[in-house]
Amino acid sequence: MYHTLDLHFQNYEHAIASFLIETDEGPVLIESGPYSTFPSLEKGLSNHGYKVSDVKHVLLSHIHFDHAGAAWAFAEKGAKIYLHPFGHDHMHDPTKLVASATMIYGDQMDTLWGKMEGIPKKNLKVMEHEEVVEIGGHSFKAIHSPGHAKHHIAWQWKDTIFTGDVAGVKIEGGPVVPPCPPPDINIEDWLQSIDLILSKNPNRLVLTHFGEEMNPNIHMQELREILKDWSEWMKVKWEAGMSNDEITPEFMAYTAKQLKDRGVSDHGIKLYEAANPSWMSVAGLVRYWKKKLEN
């Protein structure tokens, strides 16, 4: 049994989650969320009888702020942080990560993500592909799954895979959509990672944005289709010479219509936008096509 901790990002329910698994060696946390939601995370832990200092193991899917921004606060209390090899240096010294994000978010950085501090190397544990860590009678397997980010891990636990972003965003029963921020989006890698996840025959997928999916094959097929749809849509606009600023309102309208056509309410569309901002996918997919077609 695992527990979903809703982090109430930007005061929205069901936008970002962390996941708590109780073991003989204390609680294991999958995803830390951003530091801006740390009070919600503390409250979620408290609801299950734990303090932050009780968490000695934090498993990260990748180092984007919405998944890993608060990891340092657990490391500060002695926790081991498990992550992809490509994420190690950035979590030890997040200077470049913060500078890059500040260029994107500007004065919204603190409101959205909160601060991010470096983590001592002794608290960082790099996980190789399919490496298993045993904690308190439980086994956690790291599945390297690039596409959304080159430093992405999905975590297999029993018949469950905690998917980070490789299985997309699906909120309150709406359709699945792919988060495509810069700089690492790679459609071919992502499609291969989808196949890799399914080859593990999970009974359930657990999405950071947001919650449980009990039909992995159907879910992943829908993700394949929408990933290709968004990618091809973006290619047409970019090849027509449109700028990101020109593409963004059209893409927001296009994706909002897709959600509405699938029965998502106006409030639901705002939730999707909070978890997966449209303009980020414009930047990521345009960069993908530039790199692909200019090489």
Side-chain angles (χ1 to χ4, degrees):
M1 179 64 185
Y2 70 90
H3 306 288
T4 300
L5 309 181
D6 191 332
L7 301 184
H8 295 95
F9 178 65
Q10 300 292 286
N11 296 315
Y12 286 111
E13 293 185 348
H14 304 160
I16 303 177
S18 287
F19 305 101
L20 175 68
I21 296 172
E22 299 178 89
T23 80
D24 294 341
E25 292 180 22
V28 171
L29 199 65
I30 299 178
E31 311 281 50
S32 73
Y35 191 67
S36 61
T37 62
F38 200 64
S40 292
L41 184 51
E42 283 187 292
K43 184 178 179 183
L45 288 169
S46 177
N47 288 342
H48 294 284
Y50 297 110
K51 305 186 297 293
V52 169
S53 58
D54 294 326
V55 179
K56 299 303 180 188
H57 306 275
V58 179
L59 282 54
L60 301 178
S61 66
H62 58 302
I63 64 170
H64 292 168
F65 284 86
D66 52 335
H67 296 256
W72 66 269
F74 289 95
E76 200 172 60
K77 300 288 187 181
K80 187 78 74 177
I81 311 299
Y82 300 78
L83 75 172
H84 193 286
F86 293 160
H88 176 277
D89 290 352
H90 288 296
M91 293 301 282
H92 173 59
D93 179 3
T95 305
K96 290 182 180 178
L97 201 62
V98 171
S100 176
T102 302
M103 286 177 64
I104 296 171
Y105 297 105
D107 58 8
Q108 289 295 302
M109 271 292 289
D110 194 57
T111 302
L112 288 170
W113 311 123
K115 64 181 176 178
M116 192 173 194
E117 303 283 351
I119 296 174
K121 290 184 178 181
K122 65 183 176 64
N123 294 91
L124 293 170
K125 174 64 173 79
V126 162
M127 296 293 291
E128 300 299 335
H129 179 49
E130 302 211 326
E131 185 177 352
V132 175
V133 58
E134 303 279 351
I135 304 170
H138 292 256
S139 298
F140 301 90
K141 180 185 283 187
I143 304 171
H144 287 195
S145 38
H148 169 80
K150 64 182 181 181
H151 54 272
H152 195 284
I153 289 177
W155 290 96
Q156 185 170 11
W157 172 71
K158 300 182 180 179
D159 62 352
T160 298
I161 295 180
F162 294 89
T163 61
D165 279 344
V166 72
V169 171
K170 183 181 173 77
I171 297 174
E172 295 184 345
V176 60
V177 298
C180 297
D184 292 343
I185 294 303
N186 185 292
I187 304 302
E188 292 80 10
D189 285 353
W190 200 332
L191 294 173
Q192 288 180 9
S193 290
I194 288 172
D195 291 339
L196 176 62
I197 297 296
L198 290 178
S199 76
K200 306 300 181 184
N201 297 311
N203 283 336
R204 68 175 61 78
L205 306 176
V206 182
L207 283 60
T208 306
H209 317 284
F210 184 97
E212 194 169 80
E213 177 53 57
M214 298 301 292
N215 296 293
N217 284 292
I218 293 172
H219 175 90
M220 287 301 212
Q221 180 56 32
E222 290 179 355
L223 178 59
R224 281 191 195 99
E225 291 170 2
I226 196 70
L227 186 57
K228 292 174 183 175
D229 177 84
W230 282 18
S231 173
E232 291 300 324
W233 187 97
M234 202 65 65
K235 180 173 182 278
V236 170
K237 301 296 180 181
W238 176 68
E239 288 185 327
M242 294 177 67
S243 68
N244 286 16
D245 287 344
E246 291 169 330
I247 294 171
T248 297
E250 288 194 22
F251 186 65
M252 289 183 72
Y254 180 71
T255 56
K257 184 177 186 303
Q258 286 182 325
L259 293 172
K260 279 188 176 179
D261 288 348
R262 291 288 299 274
V264 178
S265 68
D266 288 343
H267 175 72
I269 290 171
K270 289 179 181 178
L271 267 176
Y272 270 90
E273 194 65 25
N276 182 27
S278 299
W279 64 270
M280 291 289 285
S281 288
V282 172
L285 288 168
V286 166
R287 190 176 192 277
Y288 161 76
W289 281 115
K290 280 183 178 178
K291 286 173 65 179
K292 184 177 176 67
L293 298 178
E294 290 175 357
N295 288 342

